[in-house]
Amino acid sequence: MPEVKSIFREVLPKQGQLSMEDVPTMVLCKPKLLPLKSVTLEKLEKMQMEAQEAVKQQELAMKEQ
């Protein structure tokens, strides 16, 4: 294959500053799945339901006596 020469050549300034523009791009990452309820909240709700059931059973026992 014949070697292709570029028609553009690199030009660097002899004086002054050389600057480059960096265009920020968006980086996508995996979504983080969060639980709707935390484990602690589920435990607290379970304890609260058990306590309510115990109170209901005590009230029923009191009514029967």
Side-chain angles (χ1 to χ4, degrees), residues 11-65:
V11 177
L12 296 174
K14 303 265 188 233
Q15 292 179 344
Q17 293 181 347
L18 177 64
S19 65
M20 283 180 43
E21 265 189 59
D22 186 26
V23 180
T25 59
M26 290 183 61
V27 177
L28 301 176
C29 60
K30 290 184 179 179
K32 293 179 175 65
L33 297 177
L34 299 174
L36 295 177
K37 291 185 179 180
S38 69
V39 175
T40 307
L41 181 60
E42 288 179 0
K43 286 181 183 177
L44 289 172
E45 287 179 346
K46 183 179 177 183
M47 288 172 54
Q48 186 178 15
M49 286 176 54
E50 289 172 355
Q52 287 176 346
E53 289 294 322
V55 169
K56 284 181 184 179
Q57 288 178 359
Q58 287 177 356
E59 288 176 352
L60 288 175
M62 295 279 285
K63 287 181 182 180
E64 290 175 357
Q65 290 179 355

Side-chain angles (χ1 to χ4, degrees), residues 1-7:
M1 286 182 131
E3 192 173 317
V4 177
K5 291 187 177 179
S6 176
I7 55 174

